[in-house]
Amino acid sequence: MGKDAKARIQKGKVLSFVPTGEYYFTKGVKAYHRRDFIKAKKYLGRALQLEPGEPMIACQLAIVSTELGEFENSNRLLHLILEELDEEMTECHYFLANNYAHLGFFKDAYHHAKLYLQLDPDGDFTEDTEDLLELLSFEGEGLEDELYLQDDLIIKQEQARDLLESGYFPKAIELLKDVVEQYPEYWSAYNNLALAYFYLGKTEKAEAILTDVLERNPGNLHALCNRLVFAHYQGQTEKAKALIDTLKKIQPLLSEHQFKLGATFALVGEYELAYLWLKKLYKHGFEGDGPFYYWLSYSAFYTGYENFAKNIWKIALQINPDKEGLEPWNASAPPTNGFEDHPGSIFQKLESDYIEERLFAIFLATVSSKKDEILSSKRLFQNQKLSPIEREYLSYVKSGLPSVTAEAHQVAELLYQNHQPIGMVESGLYLMWFSALEEMAQSGIQLKNKNGWAGAIDYVWNKLRSEKVSQLEIAERYGVSSATVGKYVKVIKSLLK
């Protein structure tokens, strides 16, 4: 690092004070020793901007990030040092071991702890590293097996969350059922399993899972929050109000729980409560993912902090550029965007192992603002998973030529007139229709009355979600008789058994 630049007065001219990385590094270290980690992070971050190749600055910033609980950011900096700046800074392996242990990635923690002792057996952190290894290995070889199992569990949980966020509900259910079978008290997996069932329209199953969690793990925050989300989506006003009153009284200590609480309040429109929790996290240096900044911006905007909301929205867009156009101050923007406007999600579904998801993806492409781009893409042309019926469907939507899938597509279009944009909840309706279509194709059932089929699938979906809707109401919505809806409802139920 260079010497501090100094202000001087020369021949009556004032030369500006231009501090270097060392200046900010010194201020950052002083703030760190005062345990003012927010200020330390600010100064050290500026120092690293001025001298991005200086490993000492990056290492000190990583240590501060660990103190703030930002383990992922700390690990990113430590790996940067070892891989690009100074591979001989062996203490980085000790810091990585600690971070991975906190995150629950015990296999990685064990690896870096052993590596540190191997590279620097007489180093400053040797004793601390040996203590960490003893903690990681206190049950001997049996624990190592358990560490691998825990790593596997965390990886599966992350995979399941990605599947949920992308609308792969059947695949998420399959994975999560496997997780809860292996780890019967891993409550997070149960909560995500409940969400997956709910989004598929299987509300009774979803509620039963949450009830089971709360009976075996009373006060589970994620279960209570999910129960509020379910009540909100189903229009159960009194139940939602009671749950909000309960959640208002909870004061979680973990940042993960504070985020869950804040995001849930934002989702159901309780923006003042949402802003209270999310802004608190932000002030304490919490660096969340895209949804954190998304909901922080929304809650800030709807509580009157418009300038702050706009600044936070810029961060949200840096993480998820496809959120552009969904700004909270954009009156035409829905509170959540639909899968039809996310080509990435559509392509993921096109490569699913489930035919109903691939059929659904083809329909999404037809109502997408990126329709031409998706249907003409090389990625679609090279997709080896598409079955004959899916290829026929693609030919129909591309060329309009007569096809047995034309009526099925028209049914989906009728559903889209009443259920758009297609978010996680609405996805369940379309997946149900394309699941039924697959069964119909195998049974040789003809689609003669598209309005009747649309009404039937809409009615069955609403009933599965415990919505109060009559066959007469649905019949009027689709311009058919109540008897016609009833006739096709029986067929749908038999197909989906």
Side-chain angles (χ1 to χ4, degrees):
M1 290 178 285
K3 295 180 179 179
D4 291 350
K6 297 180 180 179
R8 297 193 301 258
I9 300 177
Q10 185 179 17
K11 295 181 181 179
K13 181 180 179 181
V14 178
L15 299 181
S16 61
F17 174 50
V18 184
T20 63
E22 185 174 359
Y23 170 79
Y24 285 111
F25 176 76
T26 303
K27 289 180 73 69
V29 171
K30 287 180 179 178
Y32 171 76
H33 287 305
R34 294 197 308 271
R35 300 192 67 76
D36 188 346
F37 300 126
I38 298 296
K39 195 164 284 186
K41 178 185 174 183
K42 175 184 173 183
Y43 288 136
L44 291 167
R46 179 59 178 147
L48 193 60
Q49 283 180 339
L50 292 168
E51 297 193 41
E54 176 52 60
M56 281 297 295
I57 298 175
C59 188
Q60 189 64 46
L61 182 55
I63 293 169
V64 170
S65 294
T66 295
E67 293 286 357
L68 289 167
E70 298 167 5
F71 300 110
E72 292 89 348
N73 187 53
S74 178
N75 285 348
R76 180 184 63 78
L77 290 164
L78 293 168
H79 281 294
L80 173 72
I81 294 165
L82 291 170
E83 293 165 16
E84 297 182 24
L85 303 181
D86 185 356
E87 63 180 11
E88 295 185 3
M89 282 190 70
T90 53
E91 59 266 39
C92 291
H93 290 292
Y94 167 72
F95 298 135
L96 280 166
N98 271 288
N99 286 348
Y100 280 124
H102 274 97
L103 287 167
F105 290 98
F106 302 113
K107 182 174 64 176
D108 293 308
Y110 191 86
H111 166 74
H112 283 284
K114 294 287 283 186
L115 197 55
Y116 174 73
L117 291 179
Q118 178 186 332
L119 294 171
D120 196 0
D122 299 315
D124 294 338
F125 302 102
T126 299
E127 188 175 337
D128 292 330
T129 305
E130 289 172 345
D131 289 342
L132 177 61
L133 277 173
E134 185 178 350
L135 182 65
L136 290 170
S137 310
F138 71 93
E139 288 184 6
E141 294 180 3
L143 180 63
E144 287 192 32
D145 293 337
E146 182 63 25
L147 299 183
Y148 277 87
L149 284 173
Q150 290 190 35
D151 277 5
D152 179 58
L153 170 63
I154 293 167
I155 290 168
K156 283 183 176 178
Q157 177 73 339
E158 287 301 309
Q159 289 174 340
R161 191 176 76 165
D162 290 342
L163 289 168
L164 277 175
E165 291 177 353
S166 300
Y168 282 87
F169 308 127
K171 190 79 171 176
I173 288 171
E174 184 180 305
L175 180 62
L176 289 164
K177 284 173 73 174
D178 181 54
V179 171
V180 298
E181 186 177 333
Q182 291 183 58
Y183 306 92
E185 292 189 356
Y186 190 51
W187 309 118
S188 179
Y190 285 97
N191 282 310
N192 282 333
L193 183 59
L195 282 172
Y197 277 122
F198 181 79
Y199 292 138
L200 264 181
K202 299 182 179 181
T203 53
E204 290 184 7
K205 187 111 179 167
E207 288 284 1
I209 291 171
L210 294 186
T211 299
D212 177 53
V213 170
L214 289 167
E215 285 177 356
R216 294 196 288 146
N217 186 230
N220 185 284
L221 182 67
H222 284 261
L224 290 170
C225 287
N226 288 342
R227 184 163 270 180
L228 171 57
V229 171
F230 293 176
H232 173 74
Y233 274 130
Q234 294 177 93
Q236 298 170 347
T237 310
E238 291 302 315
K239 184 177 179 180
K241 185 177 182 301
L243 285 163
I244 289 170
D245 289 340
T246 297
L247 290 169
K248 278 181 183 178
K249 301 171 186 175
I250 296 175
Q251 300 290 318
L253 297 176
L254 294 177
S255 57
E256 175 200 347
H257 288 170
Q258 292 175 7
F259 170 50
K260 176 68 176 180
L261 194 58
T264 300
F265 281 138
L267 185 67
V268 301
E270 293 287 332
Y271 293 113
E272 288 189 6
L273 290 168
Y275 186 70
L276 176 73
W277 285 111
L278 299 177
K279 182 62 184 296
K280 178 182 178 182
L281 283 168
Y282 179 78
K283 286 172 67 177
H284 284 84
F286 180 76
E287 290 190 0
D289 51 12
F292 170 71
Y293 294 105
Y294 178 91
W295 289 121
L296 176 57
S297 178
Y298 263 79
S299 61
F301 180 78
Y302 284 110
T303 48
Y305 300 99
E306 188 171 344
N307 289 334
F308 180 66
K310 288 182 176 179
N311 288 330
I312 294 300
W313 189 256
K314 292 175 184 176
I315 302 174
L317 285 183
Q318 287 174 5
I319 299 171
N320 288 323
D322 54 8
K323 296 292 184 187
E324 189 169 0
L326 297 171
E327 299 83 358
W329 49 90
N330 183 349
S332 63
T336 56
N337 50 328
F339 286 119
E340 60 266 47
D341 291 321
H342 289 269
S345 293
I346 295 174
F347 279 116
Q348 284 183 324
K349 289 178 176 61
L350 281 165
E351 292 160 5
S352 167
D353 292 330
Y354 297 89
I355 188 172
E356 66 267 26
E357 290 186 344
R358 298 195 299 267
L359 288 165
F360 176 35
I362 295 171
F363 174 73
L364 282 170
T366 68
V367 293
S368 173
S369 57
K370 307 284 187 181
K371 175 182 175 180
D372 294 338
E373 174 189 322
I374 296 168
L375 295 179
S376 62
S377 72
K378 184 178 179 181
R379 186 172 173 182
L380 177 58
F381 177 75
Q382 294 177 337
N383 191 324
Q384 298 297 311
K385 293 186 176 181
L386 301 181
S387 65
I389 189 173
E390 293 162 77
R391 295 198 177 278
E392 184 179 327
Y393 188 12
L394 273 173
S395 297
Y396 168 71
V397 299
K398 284 181 179 181
S399 63
L401 294 174
S403 164
V404 293
T405 59
E407 289 83 0
H409 177 71
Q410 289 161 9
V411 170
E413 285 184 319
L414 286 170
L415 294 173
Y416 193 68
Q417 291 175 14
N418 295 286
H419 300 282
Q420 59 167 291
I422 303 175
M424 285 190 177
V425 174
E426 293 80 11
S427 289
L429 169 64
Y430 295 89
L431 285 168
M432 185 181 292
W433 169 239
F434 287 111
S435 295
L437 175 63
E438 181 191 2
E439 296 295 329
M440 291 160 70
Q442 293 177 5
S443 305
I445 297 174
Q446 300 296 311
L447 288 169
K448 294 181 180 179
N449 187 334
K450 60 185 181 183
N451 293 73
W453 286 109
I457 202 76
D458 200 338
Y459 178 78
V460 171
W461 179 66
N462 273 286
K463 282 299 179 183
L464 280 172
R465 296 173 61 243
S466 302
E467 293 285 347
K468 295 179 180 178
V469 62
S470 67
Q471 286 190 9
L472 178 60
E473 182 182 340
I474 292 291
E476 290 175 350
R477 183 182 298 172
Y478 290 95
V480 293
S481 69
S482 180
T484 298
V485 171
K487 170 187 170 183
Y488 288 113
V489 162
K490 289 178 183 177
V491 182
I492 292 290
K493 287 182 175 179
S494 67
L495 290 169
L496 295 176
K497 278 183 179 179

